[in-house]
Amino acid sequence: MQDADSTNESLFEAPPMAEQERMCEAVLFASAEPVSVRDLEARMPHGCDVAQALEHLRKRYEGRGVRVVKVGEAWAIRTAPDLGFLMQKETVETRKLSRAAIETLAIIAYHQPATRAEIEEIRGVSVSRGTIDQLMGLEWIRFGRRKMTPGRPVTFVVTPDFLDHFGLESARDLPGLKELRAAGLLENRPPPGAMSLGEDEDGADAQPELFGE
Amino acid sequence: MQDADSTNESLFEAPPMAEQERMCEAVLFASAEPVSVRDLEARMPHGCDVAQALEHLRKRYEGRGVRVVKVGEAWAIRTAPDLGFLMQKETVETRKLSRAAIETLAIIAYHQPATRAEIEEIRGVSVSRGTIDQLMGLEWIRFGRRKMTPGRPVTFVVTPDFLDHFGLESARDLPGLKELRAAGLLENRPPPGAMSLGEDEDGADAQPELFGE
Amino acid sequence: MNDNLFQEDATSVSERLAAEALIVDVDGYEGPLDVLLTLSRTQKVDLRKISVLELARQYLGFVERAKELRLELAADYLVMAAWLAFLKSRLLLPPDPTEEGPSGEELAAHLAFQLERLQAMRDVAARLMACDRLGRDFFRRGQGEDVTRIRTVQYNATLLDLMQGYARIRTRDDFRPFVMDRDSVFTMEQALERMRGLIGFTGDWTDMASYLPQGWDGDPVRRRSATAATFAASLELVKEGHLEIRQSDLYAPIQLRKVDGRT
């Protein structure tokens, strides 16, 4: 599997692209978790063009039983979703999430970074004990940067594990995100006139810096 | 990925060979153990020619970064032997950090730069040499600036590795006790009012306690 | 509670039935906004075209019905009722040019926006949960490689461990024996947090007593503490410029009103 044009291979030259692709393939196959580009680069010989090798690899697996997918800044191999029916044995029963937890997760994903006050403002109820706890335990959310608003509240953002679980390449690929944004439903719109509810005095100035990771 | 010759597909006909190959590929990939031909047959739709599909699959992976190999009576996907050197990092054993180490780390994260004396004062017990060494070895803490107090004691601060591991942008994003409680992340609910924390915790929003403590 | 707030004009039979149907499962609702959203479905129109006036009527009918059945509604349901009653009057009466603050239409539009947004978040939450999911629809590698040559031990700890460890140390002192029984003490901090969440809905002068948390208005000791804390918190909010406060006479009810942000 040597490229024809790499006749003058030396110790200090990167391996041919086909070889780089094989290497990426081997590493991704071996790892159950997504592997970051940086990690791949560190493992592979000096001078490799990992991004390009991954792109080749992704194409190669199109339509096959497994796929090469991007998860945030990392890559992984996952089975094709249409073959899920073959995997009863591997299926993991996940604990059912409560309605509150599902809604809270969605609000964080679509509005991130989201403060607790924002979540409560949208749902109209306080975030109950255990909801955040559960989502953190699943490692689907984590703390983001504090908001630059009075009280500097902590924020929540979704994690790469979340993306991996829901088969998303990035938070931009959330279903319906564009429609929501076009409909103005992701705006932080304070109640008219008012100083608004409690903490979310962040009001208009804090355009949710979506995906500003 | 449909075979050309499968125009008259029916419920009781086996899927086209290319499809059977995809199925074998997905099952071998996702299975935790090598899979026997009989097991594959049981999982796949009735009428599949598993042996032939496996043969196709094995050919397809010839020369790739992974190979389809026979292990005893079963089949598995394995890294190509010449790429074993890429896998060396793969075997990692994870162990939980001891309670002492976690508490020490937490105090450093929340109070950095923290001297050993400060850590001991907060924990109420002495800090063993081993704990500090372990945290240093993990590269989660490092020495900070010496304190400008008598004896000029060394201080400890957390490292970028620490932030990376715990998914934080900065140690300032760690929630304060009040926020932890608000998010439902505390197990115990101490009496109200007894939650004032030293230092920077609730900073600006700390309200004067009307009901004397 | 301000009884006259809930003195509603006769509600139609269908509204009563709708309210009754809601009542059956009051615990199944996640707050007043959720109830409003459910009620809004009976109008069978796009949320953007919803009649907020109609919705306010339905909600007030719901609260009325709950009262008749002597059901304890959580305070935030009642605050919402008070706010909707206020909104209703604003929508029905011709605008008073001397009146400050947002118009009834603006308030109604915002409520419609909140409902639409909540509905939208529910819809996308459902779509999200229906995505192909790891471990259900697609799968990761089942078998790590067994090229066991280098064994490294990696110590692991989660952020939760870290925070709980910290909280454990910092709250240890709170359990010293000298701590008195504080069951009956409602702190100003609690009151302030509560008030901040509620003042958004006070359009007009409202009795401060209606802000007392549920379960704190029976026992005199608890009521006293809650009243004192709520009063102190109100003063704090007045100081911050969020609230106005007045008392018409000695021992008369203390009334609160949200300050209009534009002043």
Side-chain angles (χ1 to χ4, degrees):
Chain A
M1 267 280 121
Q2 300 293 80
D3 246 4
D5 58 336
S6 66
T7 38
N8 57 345
E9 235 187 310
S10 92
L11 250 178
F12 302 99
E13 232 165 84
M17 185 46 72
E19 195 59 19
Q20 295 186 28
E21 199 191 313
R22 282 185 80 220
M23 291 178 176
C24 288
E25 189 177 31
V27 174
L28 293 192
F29 258 95
S31 172
E33 300 303 320
V35 186
S36 70
V37 172
R38 208 207 303 172
D39 195 4
L40 275 166
E41 271 164 357
R43 289 185 190 210
M44 285 168 55
H46 192 71
C48 285
D49 185 348
V50 169
Q52 206 197 329
L54 286 168
E55 214 35 70
H56 283 301
L57 197 63
R58 179 186 345 220
K59 284 240 175 63
R60 183 181 292 273
Y61 278 91
E62 265 169 21
R64 301 274 299 275
V66 296
R67 306 188 306 172
V68 176
V69 296
K70 193 170 180 209
V71 182
E73 294 307 306
W75 292 73
I77 297 182
R78 301 284 181 248
T79 64
D82 65 310
L83 299 178
F85 71 96
L86 293 168
M87 312 293 169
Q88 287 100 330
K89 246 192 189 171
E90 281 75 30
T91 304
V92 271
E93 271 312 315
T94 40
R95 188 155 53 120
K96 269 255 177 206
L97 283 182
S98 68
R99 181 168 144 190
I102 291 173
E103 284 179 23
T104 302
L105 177 66
I107 291 168
I108 293 170
Y110 286 83
H111 291 261
Q112 65 173 347
T115 65
R116 180 163 155 262
E118 285 163 351
I119 299 167
E120 296 185 340
E121 149 95 1
I122 293 172
R123 296 196 63 234
V125 280
S126 54
V127 174
S128 77
R129 216 195 102 84
T131 300
I132 296 283
D133 196 353
Q134 190 183 16
L135 296 174
M136 286 229 161
L138 287 165
E139 297 190 53
W140 285 352
I141 63 169
R142 64 173 180 85
F143 292 108
R145 232 169 253 205
R146 281 177 188 271
K147 259 221 161 131
M148 288 306 192
T149 52
R152 307 209 59 219
V154 294
T155 65
F156 300 100
V157 296
V158 292
T159 63
D161 274 8
F162 166 87
L163 298 177
D164 193 17
H165 183 89
F166 290 96
L168 301 168
E169 185 169 321
S170 83
R172 255 167 256 133
D173 301 323
L174 284 164
L177 183 71
K178 279 201 196 91
E179 294 96 302
L180 282 185
R181 192 173 305 131
L185 291 168
L186 297 182
E187 284 161 25
N188 195 344
R189 198 186 293 180
M195 326 219 41
S196 82
L197 304 179
E199 294 119 280
D200 62 339
E201 282 136 7
D202 11 346
D205 61 318
Q207 235 352 311
E209 34 172 283
L210 264 182
F211 323 125
E213 288 294 271
Chain B
M1 271 275 116
Q2 301 292 80
D3 249 1
D5 59 336
S6 67
T7 38
N8 56 345
E9 237 187 309
S10 93
L11 251 178
F12 303 98
E13 233 163 80
M17 184 45 72
E19 196 58 21
Q20 296 186 28
E21 201 191 313
R22 283 184 81 218
M23 291 177 177
C24 287
E25 188 176 32
V27 172
L28 292 192
F29 173 84
S31 174
E33 315 251 290
V35 191
S36 68
V37 172
R38 201 201 298 175
D39 196 1
L40 273 167
E41 271 164 356
R43 285 191 186 205
M44 284 168 54
H46 193 70
C48 285
D49 186 346
V50 169
Q52 206 197 328
L54 284 169
E55 204 40 59
H56 281 299
L57 196 64
R58 198 180 59 73
K59 282 236 176 64
R60 188 185 287 274
Y61 277 96
E62 262 170 21
R64 306 289 320 158
V66 294
R67 304 187 311 172
V68 175
V69 295
K70 201 165 176 205
V71 184
E73 286 308 300
W75 292 77
I77 299 179
R78 290 286 157 81
T79 309
D82 64 313
L83 297 179
F85 72 97
L86 291 168
M87 302 307 134
Q88 290 177 345
K89 274 188 184 171
E90 216 43 55
T91 51
V92 215
E93 193 184 316
T94 49
R95 270 185 221 160
K96 275 269 175 204
L97 213 54
S98 71
R99 178 168 166 160
I102 284 187
E103 291 183 1
T104 304
L105 182 62
I107 292 168
I108 295 171
Y110 275 90
H111 295 267
Q112 64 171 349
T115 66
R116 194 185 186 115
E118 285 164 348
I119 299 168
E120 295 184 341
E121 189 185 319
I122 294 171
R123 280 198 70 220
V125 283
S126 63
V127 174
S128 80
R129 173 87 212 214
T131 303
I132 295 283
D133 283 349
Q134 187 186 21
L135 294 174
M136 288 266 204
L138 287 165
E139 297 187 56
W140 283 349
I141 63 167
R142 61 174 179 80
F143 290 115
R145 226 170 255 197
R146 280 178 187 275
K147 264 231 159 121
M148 288 310 189
T149 51
R152 308 206 57 215
V154 294
T155 64
F156 301 99
V157 295
V158 293
T159 63
D161 274 8
F162 166 88
L163 297 177
D164 204 33
H165 181 91
F166 290 95
L168 293 165
E169 312 235 354
S170 88
R172 277 188 303 277
D173 295 331
L174 280 169
L177 274 201
K178 230 165 64 180
E179 289 164 324
L180 283 178
R181 185 169 296 111
L185 293 171
L186 287 199
E187 294 146 342
N188 302 318
R189 177 166 254 281
M195 38 178 94
S196 50
L197 291 184
E199 252 93 319
D200 41 359
E201 229 50 67
D202 327 290
D205 54 351
Q207 294 297 338
E209 301 282 351
L210 273 192
F211 300 93
E213 292 301 280
Chain C
M1 279 291 126
N2 252 355
D3 272 355
N4 57 349
L5 276 178
F6 304 117
Q7 230 87 116
E8 263 308 301
D9 6 29
T11 44
S12 76
V13 175
S14 61
E15 270 170 36
R16 289 207 155 232
L17 287 177
E20 206 150 333
L22 277 178
I23 295 289
V24 176
D25 190 25
V26 123
D27 290 339
Y29 286 93
E30 304 223 359
L33 222 46
D34 191 23
V35 169
L36 280 169
L37 196 55
T38 307
L39 284 170
S40 70
R41 282 192 202 108
T42 62
Q43 289 193 22
K44 298 196 172 74
V45 291
D46 193 288
L47 274 174
R48 297 197 167 203
K49 297 186 189 119
I50 197 101
S51 158
V52 170
L53 191 59
E54 177 63 23
L55 196 58
R57 276 207 194 97
Q58 288 175 306
Y59 186 89
L60 293 171
F62 155 74
V63 171
E64 173 108 335
R65 196 75 193 107
K67 273 180 64 194
E68 277 169 24
L69 295 172
R70 295 172 189 278
L71 280 171
E72 280 271 327
L73 282 184
D76 43 350
Y77 287 84
L78 301 180
V79 171
M80 177 61 91
W83 185 78
L84 285 172
F86 160 76
L87 174 61
K88 206 180 114 190
S89 68
R90 277 239 160 157
L91 287 172
L92 288 174
L93 299 173
D96 176 356
T98 62
E99 188 91 58
E100 290 166 358
S103 71
E105 280 70 27
E106 283 174 307
L107 293 172
H110 187 73
L111 180 62
F113 167 74
Q114 282 180 293
L115 292 175
E116 195 191 347
R117 181 173 61 181
L118 180 59
Q119 184 59 55
M121 289 322 294
R122 290 200 170 154
D123 293 343
V124 290
R127 283 176 71 181
L128 182 64
M129 297 323 269
C131 279
D132 287 331
R133 287 165 67 179
L134 183 65
R136 188 186 75 181
D137 305 294
F138 62 93
F139 297 83
R140 55 163 66 110
R141 183 71 201 264
Q143 192 178 24
E145 290 291 313
D146 46 356
V147 244
T148 327
R149 285 185 205 128
I150 301 176
R151 275 177 96 82
T152 42
V153 175
Q154 193 179 72
Y155 283 94
N156 202 3
T158 67
L159 189 54
L160 220 50
D161 296 334
L162 190 75
M163 295 184 305
Q164 283 173 344
Y166 185 68
R168 193 164 55 225
I169 313 164
R170 296 318 306 244
T171 52
R172 199 172 40 206
D173 295 344
D174 301 335
F175 294 101
R176 283 187 188 149
F178 71 77
V179 175
M180 315 182 306
D181 175 18
R182 287 171 201 268
D183 277 352
S184 302
V185 177
F186 193 66
T187 64
M188 182 184 132
E189 194 177 34
Q190 287 171 296
L192 201 57
E193 193 177 335
R194 185 180 157 75
M195 298 283 288
R196 284 190 197 281
L198 297 180
I199 55 171
F201 293 108
T202 56
D204 207 347
W205 291 109
T206 316
D207 189 346
M208 191 186 81
S210 63
Y211 283 98
L212 296 194
Q214 207 187 357
W216 288 78
D217 42 8
D219 171 32
V221 176
R222 285 164 72 85
R223 190 176 61 223
R224 198 154 54 225
S225 170
T227 306
T230 302
F231 180 60
S234 304
L235 291 181
E236 186 63 30
L237 288 168
V238 169
K239 203 171 93 190
E240 289 177 18
H242 294 290
L243 266 191
E244 288 179 280
I245 195 164
R246 75 175 184 191
Q247 187 177 29
S248 53
D249 206 345
L250 201 59
Y251 302 123
I254 294 168
Q255 294 184 307
L256 308 174
R257 182 167 78 169
K258 181 183 62 180
V259 169
D260 177 10
R262 281 180 280 191
T263 55

